[in-house]
Amino acid sequence: MESTRIDRWLWAVRLTKTRPDAAAACRGGHVRINDKPAKPATTVVPGDEVRARVGDTTKVVEVVRVIQKRVGAADAAACYIDRTPPPPPELPVARRDRGAGRPTKRERRVLDKFRTQGL
């Protein structure tokens, strides 16, 4: 087995929950193989780079092994190399509760101190 459909492979390696979800992601333009848009029937071979938007994140994986049937999670993880860049660090943001009204003089000083230290 040298190649398989991308929607079937995404489902088999557990990047999507169902095969129809994988096909819908392909039709919606959320899946790219080697920086080219992929239709559900596009074939994937070992060595291909697959970019798939799953939920809120974009997964970048390299195909190591092609499988067609859904397997256990440990076996599925061995079928690809995850090359997804780490998410950017979250910077602390000074926020007040909604409906808390205007800040008091003391709260304003704390907010100003926080903002000047962050820069």
Side-chain angles (χ1 to χ4, degrees), residues 11 35 38-39 51 58 66 83 100-101 118:
W11 167 74
D35 288 330
K39 293 182 179 179
R51 289 180 178 268
T58 300
V66 176
R83 302 210 188 274

Side-chain angles (χ1 to χ4, degrees), residues 7-44:
D7 63 340
R8 193 169 193 177
W9 187 81
L10 288 172
W11 167 74
V13 297
R14 298 171 179 253
L15 288 179
T16 59
K17 281 191 169 193
T18 64
R19 189 166 168 199
D21 285 346
C26 292
R27 282 193 301 272
H30 302 299
V31 178
R32 297 177 76 81
I33 300 174
N34 298 327
D35 288 330
K36 294 180 184 170
K39 293 182 179 179
T42 304
T43 58
V44 64

Side-chain angles (χ1 to χ4, degrees), residues 38-114:
K39 293 182 179 179
T42 304
T43 58
V44 64
V45 295
D48 282 347
E49 180 189 74
V50 177
R51 289 180 178 268
R53 192 166 76 195
V54 181
D56 295 338
T57 62
T58 300
K59 293 279 210 176
V60 180
V61 297
E62 180 183 338
V63 179
V64 174
R65 194 174 83 201
V66 176
I67 58 173
Q68 293 188 3
K69 301 266 184 184
R70 197 165 171 105
V71 294
D75 294 335
C79 294
Y80 63 87
I81 299 170
D82 193 358
R83 302 210 188 274
T84 306
E90 291 190 27
L91 299 174
V93 179
R95 296 238 167 126
R96 290 175 43 81
D97 291 335
R98 199 176 167 120
R102 294 177 58 174
T104 63
K105 195 182 259 191
R106 181 178 183 275
E107 291 172 338
R108 170 61 65 195
R109 288 187 192 123
V110 171
L111 284 172
D112 289 340
K113 184 178 179 184
F114 177 77

